[in-house]
Amino acid sequence: MKRVHAIVGCTALSIALITSSCGFLGNLNNTTKGAGIGAGTGAAIGAGIGHTAGHKSGMGAAIGAVVGGVAGGLIGNHMDKQAKELESQVPEAKVEKVNNGEAIRVTFDSGILFGFDDTVLSKESKEALTRFAENMNANPDTDIKIVGHTDSTGKHSYNMKLSERRANSVYNFLRQYNVSPTRMTSMGVGPDEPIADNSTEVGRAKNRRVEIFILPSIEMIQKAKKEANDK
């Protein structure tokens, strides 16, 4: 069972909803998933995140803000700028722009963050997360989803709880460094969303990870729409 610290997916991130449902993006059709921010007819912010991140960890369809091409471009420019900042400030992590630039995925290997079968953050990971928190505080108009993952070794129920605890450790650390809890959600998906082969040690190591998704908040969307209308 996932643990969510702040209700973001269906309220704080919603404006001009495409749907009133709080279902995950995995339920959307491929045409909707493929929508990009800058489409001339407007597009769903976050469309495709469920596909990129996996069904369970994908943000809800209620992100669903429809914006025009100019506003979408402004949001995309901000996300691009923040991704470049993170690449420089947190070199320990893998930083990727996903969903046509609509979101940023920051991946920390569990080996960077935690000891074996542990949920206590290492000294090195605290240093990296402190820099990450500084970037988050410098970019207050984004929202954050923290997702913990494990490999398939051991009991599924144990791995689910371990992934939740690890995601919660990251959540609590960021909160201590003044990242607002109203911006963050935290959940664990255990071994259910592998990115590599669990039959090899190399693959299992890749699957043990914490991913942080950075998404445009309702405030960013509103500012972008206003700026676009003023042009």
Side-chain angles (χ1 to χ4, degrees), residues 187-227:
M187 66 184 295
V189 295
D192 292 349
E193 295 175 12
I195 58 173
D197 187 355
N198 271 308
S199 68
T200 69
E201 178 51 42
V202 172
R204 290 191 293 272
K206 290 181 179 179
N207 290 332
R208 297 190 294 265
R209 68 198 191 278
V210 173
E211 296 176 330
I212 303 177
F213 289 90
I214 302 169
L215 301 159
S217 68
I218 187 172
E219 291 79 12
M220 181 188 291
I221 296 166
Q222 290 173 331
K223 288 178 181 178
K225 293 183 73 174
K226 182 180 185 302
E227 186 174 344

Side-chain angles (χ1 to χ4, degrees), residues 74-95:
L74 293 170
I75 292 171
N77 288 340
H78 177 96
M79 302 304 282
D80 183 64
K81 175 177 177 291
Q82 188 171 1
K84 290 178 180 177
E85 291 173 354
L86 286 166
E87 287 176 348
S88 174
Q89 295 171 356
V90 194
E92 300 91 335
K94 180 179 180 181
V95 179

Side-chain angles (χ1 to χ4, degrees), residues 165-186:
R165 292 197 303 270
R166 285 181 166 177
N168 292 341
S169 291
V170 174
Y171 172 96
N172 289 327
F173 184 86
L174 294 177
R175 187 171 180 178
Q176 289 175 10
Y177 279 81
N178 300 317
V179 180
S180 172
T182 62
R183 300 174 60 188
M184 297 191 289
T185 62
S186 173

Side-chain angles (χ1 to χ4, degrees), residues 65-150:
V66 177
V67 298
V70 174
L74 293 170
I75 292 171
N77 288 340
H78 177 96
M79 302 304 282
D80 183 64
K81 175 177 177 291
Q82 188 171 1
K84 290 178 180 177
E85 291 173 354
L86 286 166
E87 287 176 348
S88 174
Q89 295 171 356
V90 194
E92 300 91 335
K94 180 179 180 181
V95 179
E96 305 168 273
K97 290 180 292 180
V98 295
N99 306 311
N100 298 316
E102 297 164 354
I104 303 168
R105 176 170 55 197
V106 181
T107 304
F108 292 87
D109 294 338
S110 67
I112 296 175
L113 291 169
F114 307 100
F116 176 73
D117 196 27
D118 198 356
T119 60
V120 178
L121 293 166
S122 68
K123 177 182 177 182
E124 292 77 10
S125 64
K126 288 180 179 179
E127 292 172 354
L129 287 172
T130 297
R131 285 180 263 117
F132 181 86
E134 290 171 353
N135 182 273
M136 295 301 101
N137 290 329
N139 293 276
D141 287 341
T142 52
D143 285 313
I144 303 155
K145 181 158 191 169
I146 305 164
V147 186
H149 301 262
T150 69

